[in-house]
Amino acid sequence: MNESESGQILKRLTALYPRRIDLTLDRPKRLLSKLNHPERGLPPIVHIAGTNGKGSTLAMLRAGMESKGLRVHAYISPHLTKFHERIRIAGHVIGESSLARVLQECELSNRGDPITLFEITTCAAFLAFSRVRADYLLLEVGLGGRLDATNIVEDPALTVITPVSLDHQQFLGDGLEQIAFEKAGILKPGVPCVVSRQQPEAMAAIEARATEIGSPLLVQGIDWKSEISNGRLEFRNKSDSFDLPIPKLAGIHQAENAGAAVMALKHLGFGIAEMVAAVTKTDWPARMQKLKSGPLVKAAGASEVWLDGGHNPAAGHALARSLQAMPALDTQLICGMLDSKDIKGFLKSLRSVADKVYGIPIPGEDAALPAHSVAAAASEIGIQSEIASCAEEAASRISENIGSGRILVCGSLYLAGKLLSENA
C-alpha cells in the first residue's frame, strides 16, 4: 500500500470541514463526550500559547523533564515532515498503528458531523494520551487560545504565553490587543502563567484577563529575567539566580524562550540539573537549523545553509537579530511563503542583513505565493531579488555568485518540512 492507513483516514477527515470555518469549542466538546471524555484522564498539563517561540519553549521543557527520567506526552502543530510528529506518547512519536486506531475511533464516533481536521485530530491525541501513563502533558495551542480545541482542558498545572505578535489576523483580529486577548484565553482561575516579554498592548490584554479570573502571572522583566552575558545564559527571578549554558538552539531569541522554560521548570519544582538539560539537550528542527547534507547543501557549495520556518514579522525580526549576532558573511535568502502571510512585514527586518532574496514556490502548496510575487515584495522594500524554480537552483546560483557565504532558507514551515525530508 503506497499510502498509510492513517493517511487515508486523514484524507477522509479533511472532507468533514464545516462550510464556515469558525473557532468554536462546540464541535470537539461534542466528540469528546461521545468518546467518554478522554481529556479528563490526562496527566498534569502545561498549556502553551503565543505567536512565536511556543514550540521551542515546549521542546526545552520536554528536554528538561525527560532528563529526569519522566514520561512526557507532547502535542505540537504543525508537523514538518510527517503528521505523526504532532503526537508524542511518553517520549516517542506515535506509531502508525496507534495513530490509525485513534483516528478511526474518532471518525466512527463523529459519524460524519462537521468538524475541522485540527479539532478531530486533537480529540484523537487526547484519546491516545489518556491510554498511556505519563508524568506530564505539554500541550501547544494550534491557533489563538480561547477557542482553540486544546483549550478544552480545564485544570492545567501551569500555562505559558510566549511573545505575542501579528499573525492569523483573519481569525484572531487585526490588532495586537485582540490577538493577545485570544491567547490569554488559556488562563485559568488560580493557575499561574509564565509570560514572556510582550509589547505593551499585548501585556495589557493578558493582565486584564488574569485580573478578571484570578490567574497569577510570572512576567519576564518583572518576576524573572534571562539574557546572554559573557557566553552564558543568566537567569534570575526574585529568589534565585542561575548561570546556565547558552541554549543549544541557535538564535539570540532562544535566550528568552529558554528563560520561559526555566521559569516553568522552577515553578513546577524541578532543579538546576533539569534546567541545564532544557537548554543543552533540546532538538527542534527548522528553527535556525544548520543543514549538513543533502542536495540543497551540495548545490550551495562552500556556503553555509541554514533553515528556519519563521513566517511572520516577529519571526523576521528574530531572524535578523540572530544573523547579526553570527560571524559576518555575505548572506542571501531563499524565501517561499503562503499567500496568507505578511511577506513585506517578514522581510522588512531582514533587509539590513540580507544582500539578496531569491523567491521560490513551495512545492505542492496551492496557497503559496508565486516566486515572482516573493521577489516583487522584496524589491518593493529595497532588497535585491531574483526568482528561482526551487531551493536547489537558488542555492547553486548563490554559490556561483558569492562563493563562500551564508544561505538562509525561510518563510514557511511547509517549505522547511519539504526541505528537511530531503536534507539533514
Side-chain angles (χ1 to χ4, degrees), residues 70-282:
L70 299 184
R71 294 162 62 89
V72 181
H73 295 331
Y75 185 58
I76 66 164
S77 64
H79 61 278
L80 284 172
T81 62
K82 193 176 183 182
F83 185 90
H84 304 60
E85 299 166 20
R86 296 181 180 218
I87 304 171
R88 295 185 69 93
I89 306 293
H92 302 282
V93 172
I94 191 169
E96 169 60 24
S97 61
S98 297
L99 177 59
R101 188 180 309 117
V102 292
L103 288 175
Q104 188 172 53
E105 287 183 58
C106 288
E107 181 182 30
L108 293 172
S109 295
N110 188 63
R111 297 178 183 175
D113 287 338
I115 192 166
T116 71
L117 185 64
F118 182 77
E119 289 164 355
I120 198 168
T121 53
T122 299
C123 293
F126 287 162
L127 194 59
F129 294 144
S130 71
R131 292 174 173 172
V132 178
R133 184 191 66 79
D135 299 290
Y136 281 96
L137 165 57
L138 304 178
L139 186 62
E140 180 185 348
V141 165
L143 180 65
R146 183 174 65 95
L147 295 175
D148 185 79
T150 63
N151 204 31
I152 285 172
V153 299
E154 296 179 350
D155 189 25
L158 182 69
T159 61
V160 179
I161 300 180
T162 63
V164 175
S165 60
L166 296 176
D167 203 1
H168 300 294
Q169 290 97 314
Q170 68 271 38
F171 293 106
L172 305 180
D174 293 328
L176 198 57
E177 189 172 359
Q178 291 172 281
I179 294 173
F181 169 78
E182 295 296 334
K183 308 288 186 184
I186 70 166
L187 298 180
K188 300 294 185 295
V191 177
C193 179
V194 174
V195 184
S196 297
R197 192 181 310 279
Q198 306 290 341
Q199 297 181 55
E201 310 97 292
M203 194 66 236
I206 295 168
E207 288 177 334
R209 179 60 179 166
T211 299
E212 178 185 352
I213 67 170
S215 174
L217 299 182
L218 301 168
V219 181
Q220 182 176 7
I222 299 175
D223 301 288
W224 59 274
K225 297 180 181 180
S226 64
E227 59 187 2
I228 302 293
S229 179
N230 299 318
R232 302 284 287 178
L233 175 69
E234 292 185 356
F235 175 88
R236 299 186 300 279
N237 69 355
K238 291 183 177 179
S239 59
D240 294 290
S241 178
F242 301 109
D243 182 30
L244 302 169
I246 289 178
K248 178 183 176 183
L249 297 182
I252 196 167
H253 56 287
Q254 294 295 356
E256 295 193 351
N257 295 333
V262 168
M263 185 67 247
L265 288 169
K266 177 171 173 51
H267 178 79
L268 293 169
F270 290 89
I272 187 70
E274 291 77 44
M275 298 174 191
V276 170
V279 298
T280 60
K281 296 185 177 181
T282 304

Side-chain angles (χ1 to χ4, degrees), residues 56-69 72 138 265 273-283:
S56 298
T57 302
L58 184 152
M60 292 186 201
L61 280 170
R62 182 166 64 82
M65 290 175 171
E66 290 180 345
S67 73
K68 195 175 182 178
V72 181
L138 304 178
L265 288 169
E274 291 77 44
M275 298 174 191
V276 170
V279 298
T280 60
K281 296 185 177 181
T282 304
D283 290 309

